[in-house]
Amino acid sequence: MATQHSRLAARFMVAPSVGFLFVWMIVPLVTTVYFSFLVYNLLHPERQGWAGFDNYYYFLTDRAFLTAVWHSVALVVGVLCITVVGGILLALLLNLPFWGQGVVRVLVIAPFFVMPTVSALVWKNMFMNPVNGMFAHIAKGLGLQPYDFLGHAPMLSIIGIVSWEWLPFATLILLTALQSLDSEQQEAAEMDGANWMNRFIYLTLPHLTRAITVVILIQTIFLLSIYAEIAVTTGGGPASTTITYLVAQQSLYGNDVGGASAGGIVAVILANIVAVFVMRMIGKNLDA
Amino acid sequence: MGQITLNAVRKCFGEVDVIPSIDLRIEDGEFVVFVGPSGCGKSTLLRLIAGLEDVTSGGITIDGTDATELPPAKRGLAMVFQSYALYPHMSVRKNIAFPLKMAGMTPEQQEAKVQSAAKVLNLTNYLDRRPGQLSGGQRQRVAIGRAIVREPKAFLFDEPLSNLDAALRVNMRQEITELHQSLKTTMIYVTHDQVEAMTMADKIVVLNAGRIEQVGSPLTLYEHPANTFVAGFIGSPKMNLITGIEAEKLGATTIGVRPEHLDIVDSGGWSGVVGLSEHLGSDTFLKVGTKEVGTINVRAGGGITLRHGDAVRLAPRPGKVHRFGSDGKALS
Ligand SMILES: Nc1ncnc2c1ncn2[C@@H]1O[C@H](COP(=O)(O)OP(=O)(O)O)[C@@H](O)[C@H]1O
Ligand SMILES: [Mg+2]
């Protein structure tokens, strides 16, 4: 029955939801594009009119812009590296048969259910605080000088916090992939003289490429828009402002809707460049 | 060389005694078939020999040296799995070369060996394909190719043909037999199909519930089954096993008569009515309900024209009746 008729019917049936999603996406986008060409500052309602490309010019030439790009890249790449490598190691561990497996698996997944603001607060106040934090106590216990993580290495600290949040996701996806690894293949390789390392490199990793691709794609999307963790821990500042945060700052603190919209559009363009890049590089793994 | 000895090998999975105790000697160059019903422990026994499972007790020697504690890679055996277990993301060439690569051979040596194996197995045109792009029979050949390049002491096959269709199975059966004749390497072959066992084996090991019921050449098992299990398992169609007065007349608890050893006679013998007749041209298979011995299977010549409902008299051919005692063992 997969005839022209039924295909037509299918198109007809999905049309409302596709239309709805399209409007859902296009209205904010068009509004933002429109605002980005306006002089639109909430503190100066008397100044109005077309700004041309001025908003873009000011956003792109802002000294904070290039640093913010660099911070965004550092955040995405750093978290991806930690979560993919850590996720593979954790998944390999969790895939081994051991007592209490079920409980441990739930515990490992748990951080994923903690809200970003909450986990950032917990990390900031309970672990990284240089006076009362757990790390400070440990350092003092060992006779060392407590380290002000967020003060001295804000970007690294944020990468650490965000990695902690996303490690469970990577682990979960990779663990499911590991569980579908054919045991006879492993045994065949064992008989072929492959040791543990060789089996990992030649069988397990290729088997995991698809899952790793999924992890990288999904995480990139979410990591580019990280906001809460930065707002809660450092509140931006020159050492930890990403593109997303810069845009928020413009509209929130600068009350400059026009400038923020221009920044938003720049962020969208950058995100799409990254998306094309990532898809080109690893997307081919998805249709194997 | 490839001489394998099992000494009182025992295997338990937790509480379950899958293989209570097995002693077996496999000579160099022999084609040995483990045959038995599903779940009787054939795969387990093969995996014990391969080293993929640890024995619970007992010992395995390969070529005179104790291999009980050796890891699989050190035993010098190659295995062909039922699922083929090919590496899906590698080309056929890389699949076959994998054990050589692991052994640290140079790419030139690998290529030479892959080429010669591919030639033997008719895979030369498929070397650059992935396993997913091959048919079942071709995958099977790749799995065999991966085994032969290692030049192992012995090949282990675990039901290698069970995923193939009937015609291909007959073909591959012959190819494996020919491979054995040209390589002259020890082969251990596991199957639940007694036809494969009968056609391929030098020596058949009949297993039942983890125990060896009988070891012998195909004809020995056919002509002198040691017990009722082997009698019923080897041969197609199945041997008729008859209990009751007719057996007692011959001083046995059970007597066995193969369908091909029942003659249609004019008088005497057992009288019955044909229930089912299958005319294959070369043979005719009859199911006959008799008063004396119940329903029995008969294999008659192709020219027989008996149909459902016809009366018939059957007599076992003299000297072809197997007698078994109350413990199921054959009486001499
Ligand atoms: N890893 C295992 N754990 C527990 N029981 C097993 C395991 N492997 C096999 N068995 C049991 O051992 C018996 C023999 O299995 P197997 O050797 O695969 O039989 P076969 O190959 O003759 O069909 C079966 O009853 C099976 O359930
Ligand atoms: Mg089996």
Side-chain angles (χ1 to χ4, degrees):
Chain A
M1 272 299 286
T3 56
Q4 214 164 3
H5 186 180
S6 65
R7 243 177 287 147
L8 195 70
R11 276 199 201 138
F12 187 69
M13 305 289 231
V14 296
S17 45
V18 169
F20 181 75
L21 281 176
F22 183 74
V23 171
W24 187 270
M25 179 217 51
I26 205 73
V27 168
L29 186 66
V30 168
T31 323
T32 312
V33 171
Y34 172 65
F35 285 162
S36 73
F37 289 106
L38 289 185
V39 177
Y40 187 174
N41 192 313
L42 298 176
L43 293 179
H44 304 279
E46 74 286 357
R47 291 191 210 149
Q48 273 182 14
W50 285 102
F53 281 95
D54 279 2
N55 286 327
Y56 288 93
Y57 177 77
Y58 290 124
F59 187 81
L60 290 173
T61 53
D62 188 340
R63 260 188 301 139
F65 174 70
L66 277 183
T67 338
V69 169
W70 160 240
H71 284 154
S72 285
V73 171
L75 180 67
V76 171
V77 174
V79 174
L80 280 181
C81 287
I82 294 175
T83 50
V84 168
V85 174
I88 291 174
L89 294 179
L90 266 180
L92 285 174
L93 271 181
L94 291 177
N95 199 32
L96 300 175
F98 59 88
W99 190 83
Q101 207 174 33
V103 177
V104 173
R105 284 187 185 170
V106 171
L107 283 180
V108 168
I109 308 308
F112 201 53
F113 297 110
V114 181
M115 284 158 277
T117 23
V118 174
S119 67
L121 268 179
V122 167
W123 275 93
K124 180 187 181 186
N125 295 328
M126 294 184 66
F127 290 101
M128 293 176 164
N129 188 297
V131 180
N132 294 319
M134 186 94 89
F135 295 149
H137 281 300
I138 292 173
K140 275 184 244 168
L142 294 172
L144 300 170
Q145 188 72 24
Y147 187 72
D148 183 3
F149 289 93
L150 286 163
H152 290 129
M155 213 50 228
L156 282 180
S157 305
I158 291 171
I159 289 176
I161 295 172
V162 176
S163 297
W164 179 82
E165 288 172 351
W166 282 92
L167 193 55
F169 172 78
T171 308
L172 194 64
I173 302 270
L174 293 168
L175 179 62
T176 359
L178 266 189
Q179 284 173 338
S180 68
L181 189 57
D182 182 26
S183 64
E184 283 201 344
Q185 262 174 44
Q186 295 279 325
E187 290 175 344
E190 205 179 325
M191 295 208 65
D192 282 347
N195 58 23
W196 188 88
M197 203 59 209
N198 283 327
R199 292 208 296 278
F200 178 74
I201 294 171
Y202 293 110
L203 294 187
T204 313
L205 263 191
H207 179 78
L208 288 182
T209 43
R210 188 186 288 230
I212 293 175
T213 310
V214 168
V215 167
I216 291 179
L217 283 178
I218 294 181
Q219 285 202 13
T220 305
I221 295 168
F222 282 91
L223 294 178
L224 278 173
S225 60
I226 289 280
Y227 172 79
E229 290 84 343
I230 301 172
V232 168
T233 51
T234 63
S240 61
T241 298
T242 60
I243 287 283
T244 319
Y245 200 80
L246 191 64
V247 173
Q249 258 180 338
Q250 293 241 333
S251 62
L252 223 58
Y253 307 126
N255 288 300
D256 182 2
V257 178
S261 298
I265 295 301
V266 169
V268 167
I269 292 170
L270 288 182
N272 274 289
I273 292 173
V274 171
V276 168
F277 201 59
V278 172
M279 289 297 254
R280 274 280 173 80
M281 217 161 47
I282 54 178
K284 62 178 187 289
N285 288 331
L286 284 179
D287 49 50
Chain B
M1 282 293 281
Q3 194 274 318
I4 299 168
T5 315
L6 309 183
N7 296 315
V9 166
R10 171 155 182 251
K11 178 67 185 174
C12 308
F13 286 115
E15 297 286 291
V16 193
D17 218 350
V18 176
I19 294 176
S21 176
I22 278 189
D23 291 286
L24 184 66
R25 196 180 152 83
I26 294 163
E27 302 300 339
D28 182 36
E30 238 177 355
F31 197 122
V32 179
V33 175
F34 294 169
V35 68
S38 238
C40 71
K42 309 177 297 284
S43 297
T44 307
L45 189 57
L46 199 69
R47 291 165 58 82
L48 287 170
I49 296 173
L52 296 171
E53 302 277 0
D54 295 321
V55 296
T56 307
S57 65
I60 299 170
T61 54
I62 299 174
D63 285 342
T65 54
D66 184 18
T68 317
E69 300 295 328
L70 279 185
K74 296 267 160 64
R75 298 194 183 194
L77 310 175
M79 184 147 165
V80 175
F81 291 83
Q82 183 174 358
S83 68
Y84 315 137
L86 299 178
Y87 311 130
H89 47 269
M90 296 184 200
S91 64
V92 169
R93 171 180 280 111
K94 289 204 171 138
N95 262 283
I96 299 179
F98 189 72
L100 306 176
K101 185 170 172 178
M102 290 300 111
M105 271 191 196
T106 66
E108 295 77 44
Q109 286 172 312
Q110 291 178 24
E111 182 61 20
K113 291 216 170 199
V114 169
Q115 287 295 349
S116 73
K119 210 158 156 194
V120 173
L121 296 164
N122 284 326
L123 284 171
T124 313
N125 293 332
Y126 304 100
L127 282 178
D128 293 313
R129 294 211 193 160
R130 296 271 179 104
Q133 299 164 316
L134 300 178
S135 70
Q138 289 166 338
R139 284 182 214 183
Q140 184 63 69
R141 270 185 257 258
V142 177
I144 294 174
R146 196 172 60 186
I148 60 177
V149 289
R150 290 179 53 199
E151 296 172 7
K153 293 176 189 158
F155 292 97
L156 312 177
F157 293 93
D158 191 357
E159 309 218 13
L161 306 185
S162 56
N163 289 340
L164 304 179
D165 63 58
L168 205 50
R169 210 178 295 176
V170 174
N171 254 331
M172 284 303 295
R173 199 166 81 196
Q174 289 166 357
E175 282 187 31
I176 293 177
T177 310
E178 281 164 14
L179 191 69
H180 177 245
Q181 280 154 4
S182 65
L183 294 176
K184 300 194 168 50
T185 312
T186 312
M187 289 190 179
I188 305 178
Y189 186 104
V190 161
T191 179
H192 63 266
D193 180 357
Q194 60 92 25
V195 177
E196 275 177 29
M198 292 297 280
T199 50
M200 300 172 88
D202 293 327
K203 182 157 100 185
I204 297 180
V205 177
V206 182
L207 290 167
N208 181 26
R211 267 181 294 274
I212 294 184
E213 295 284 352
Q214 192 174 0
V215 180
S217 71
L219 280 186
T220 311
L221 298 194
Y222 179 80
E223 284 165 1
H224 307 288
N227 50 46
T228 50
F229 179 82
V230 178
F233 197 81
I234 299 290
S236 172
K238 275 186 164 192
M239 183 189 276
N240 298 296
L241 291 170
I242 300 157
T243 51
I245 295 174
E246 291 296 316
E248 281 160 24
K249 274 189 201 162
L250 294 170
T253 311
T254 310
I255 56 169
V257 188
R258 295 200 181 276
E260 52 270 43
H261 295 152
L262 281 164
D263 291 321
I264 297 170
V265 292
D266 296 329
S267 61
W270 305 316
S271 67
V273 178
V274 175
L276 181 75
S277 68
E278 297 173 327
H279 300 273
L280 301 185
S282 57
D283 295 297
T284 306
F285 295 135
L286 303 172
K287 219 180 192 107
V288 179
T290 64
K291 267 204 305 290
E292 296 90 343
V293 294
T295 305
I296 55 176
N297 292 310
V298 184
R299 177 180 188 164
I304 300 291
T305 54
L306 290 169
R307 308 214 148 265
H308 172 79
D310 291 350
V312 68
R313 299 192 75 83
L314 300 166
R317 208 168 294 162
K320 296 288 189 187
V321 178
H322 305 270
R323 301 185 308 131
F324 302 97
S326 56
D327 54 358
K329 295 225 168 75
L331 301 170
S332 51

